[in-house]
Amino acid sequence: MTENDQGNVPSRQRKRFPGISSRAYEHPADRSALVALRKLSGFDTVFKALSGLLPERSLRLLFLSDSVRVSDAQFSHLNDMLRDACYILDLEKVPPMYVTQDPKPNAMCIGLDEPIIVVTTGLVELLDEEEMRAVVGHEVGHALSGHSVYRTVLLFLTGLALKIAWIPLGNVAIMAIVTALREWFRKSELSADRAGLLVGQDPQASMRGLMKIAGGNHLHEMNVDAFLAQADEYEKAGDLRDSVLKILNVLPRTHPFTTVRAAELRKWSESRDFQRIMDGHYPKRSEDKDTSVTDSFRESAGHYADTVRTSKDPLMKLVGDIAGGAGDLAGDLGGRLRSRFGGGQGPTKPADGGAAAADDKGGEGGPRSTSGDGQSEG
């Protein structure tokens, strides 16, 4: 971005992150999927071929013709926020941004070749300046991570699934892909929430924005701490039946529930990872090509293991107990085998010398006796 592109100075001084890689803020599950896709040979070629089927040009023309494009002349305060967000995250090319008439508060970043950001009038009217800044940063984070590509594919496949719903097997195949993409995209939303916090650098504003999306513009009637307490209650409430219902409720969604997003963002804002980024220690974009897919998957697996271990959800606790019990059983069996066979290094000396003598003589606990033909019994 050139000096002329940077536009107006932000309303308050914020830290900037030159050359920051999206890996700095991406959720582990999101990051491992993205690293694998970026390393996949021929992936870009497939998507370029697929782009001919996707209505990207149609979408661009639609927003250009039936929405308001943000600029110095239109929604100038949003234009300042957009340039500021791109400056902070060091996104070289500022994506086009549109405001579209829709009372439902929403925002998205779509596009295969070049991302575009769309926000609804419902969202613009709902949020104050600092809350909106976090949302704009959220969408710029999507652009920096390359999420717009997969979001566009998800929109296309969802529409396709509706068109071929009358074909049983075809619909099942498409919906399987859509379900997997939705699971990934829910994690990508957690990544973008973190990007929004890096841009706004105001955790309370980020929390308020999520709370308003859930409950509307009644800030005097709401409380961030009470809102976050709902997330804790939601996680640990009920029994196994409720855990299954939670899964069924979230499956058709592209976004996690707002209380869950707020709790996840608060947890990250209080983490050492966030503080290190704010102190200027973060992975650089220039290092992305050297990123290990194996390390990314290992980190993702570690994150899920930690989630299961610390979760208060009844189903997750059951999974953790089963996994812990299996680990204890494996350890116990391993110990018995090592005690029995000495790990292939000869018999292990017991603490009681008498027992050792009995074992050596084939007494109780020692080797079985042999029959006349020299074969072991049993």
Side-chain angles (χ1 to χ4, degrees):
M1 187 187 305
T2 66
E3 290 295 326
N4 292 333
D5 287 335
Q6 291 170 15
N8 297 338
V9 176
S11 57
R12 68 177 175 83
Q13 194 64 36
R14 290 175 176 82
K15 293 185 179 179
R16 184 173 180 252
F17 310 103
I20 189 171
S21 168
S22 59
R23 291 180 292 116
Y25 59 79
E26 284 165 354
H27 185 278
D30 174 28
R31 187 188 310 132
S32 62
L34 289 175
V35 169
L37 286 171
R38 289 164 185 158
K39 294 278 187 178
L40 189 61
S41 177
F43 179 75
D44 290 339
T45 304
V46 171
F47 265 96
K48 284 180 181 178
L50 185 60
S51 66
L53 301 175
L54 298 177
E56 181 179 11
R57 295 178 66 87
S58 176
L59 284 173
R60 290 179 182 278
L61 289 172
L62 177 63
F63 288 119
L64 186 63
S65 64
D66 206 30
S67 301
V68 176
R69 183 163 59 189
V70 171
S71 65
D72 288 331
Q74 303 184 115
F75 289 102
S76 59
H77 71 294
L78 293 180
N79 195 46
D80 292 343
M81 290 181 194
L82 177 61
R83 290 185 175 185
D84 188 29
C86 292
Y87 178 69
I88 289 173
L89 294 181
D90 199 15
L91 185 62
E92 185 174 347
K93 188 171 183 179
V94 180
M97 183 175 178
Y98 294 89
V99 177
T100 188
Q101 173 62 34
D102 188 341
K104 185 177 180 180
N106 197 13
M108 61 180 174
C109 180
I110 57 174
L112 289 177
D113 296 323
E114 295 183 4
I116 60 173
I117 296 173
V118 181
V119 296
T120 65
T121 51
L123 189 68
V124 174
E125 293 163 4
L126 177 67
L127 304 182
D128 66 26
E129 180 181 348
E130 292 304 307
E131 295 158 4
M132 193 68 200
R133 191 181 296 279
V135 169
V136 173
H138 174 111
E139 299 305 326
V140 170
H142 275 315
L144 182 58
S145 288
H147 291 156
S148 60
V149 173
Y150 316 112
R151 171 68 171 177
T152 306
V153 172
L154 177 58
L155 287 172
F156 171 73
L157 290 178
T158 303
L160 181 62
L162 293 175
K163 291 179 181 178
I164 64 170
W166 59 277
I167 307 176
L169 293 180
N171 186 49
V172 168
I174 293 293
M175 285 311 300
I177 300 173
V178 168
T179 300
L181 275 173
R182 281 175 177 162
E183 169 60 19
W184 161 75
F185 200 78
R186 286 191 290 270
K187 297 300 184 291
S188 76
E189 285 299 307
L190 300 179
S191 297
D193 283 344
R194 296 175 178 184
L197 180 57
L198 290 176
V199 167
Q201 298 174 25
D202 185 345
Q204 285 299 309
S206 294
M207 302 297 171
R208 287 199 314 269
L210 289 168
M211 185 172 65
K212 282 185 175 181
I213 290 172
N217 193 15
H218 304 281
L219 196 58
H220 62 289
E221 297 285 353
M222 297 184 288
N223 179 277
V224 170
D225 291 334
F227 183 66
L228 289 168
Q230 289 180 224
D232 188 57
E233 182 180 346
Y234 170 78
E235 183 182 10
K236 65 184 179 183
D239 53 21
L240 291 177
R241 291 171 299 178
D242 294 296
S243 297
V244 173
L245 289 174
K246 290 177 190 176
I247 295 172
L248 294 176
N249 284 340
V250 81
L251 277 179
R253 297 174 60 93
T254 57
H255 289 57
F257 294 116
T258 48
T259 56
V260 175
R261 289 173 63 184
E264 285 279 345
L265 188 58
R266 179 183 61 174
K267 181 180 178 181
W268 190 70
S269 71
E270 296 171 350
S271 71
R272 184 170 176 270
D273 289 341
F274 174 71
Q275 191 55 56
R276 281 181 56 81
I277 296 174
M278 295 304 295
D279 290 339
H281 305 293
Y282 49 82
K284 300 295 179 65
R285 224 168 293 162
S286 57
E287 303 163 353
D288 283 351
K289 62 182 181 300
D290 301 320
T291 304
S292 167
V293 176
T294 303
D295 289 345
S296 298
F297 275 113
R298 187 181 297 117
E299 184 177 354
S300 177
H303 169 81
Y304 276 113
D306 184 63
T307 299
V308 170
R309 186 173 61 254
T310 59
S311 176
K312 300 172 186 175
D313 180 82
L315 181 58
M316 290 297 100
K317 289 176 69 176
L318 176 62
V319 170
D321 290 342
I322 291 173
D328 292 342
L329 178 61
D332 184 56
L333 287 174
R336 288 174 181 270
L337 288 171
R338 284 191 297 272
S339 177
R340 174 80 173 178
F341 298 108
Q345 298 176 357
T348 304
K349 182 179 180 181
D352 185 344
D359 286 347
D360 289 342
K361 294 178 180 179
E364 186 177 354
R368 295 177 183 235
S369 60
T370 55
S371 61
D373 61 2
Q375 299 296 317
S376 296
E377 294 179 350

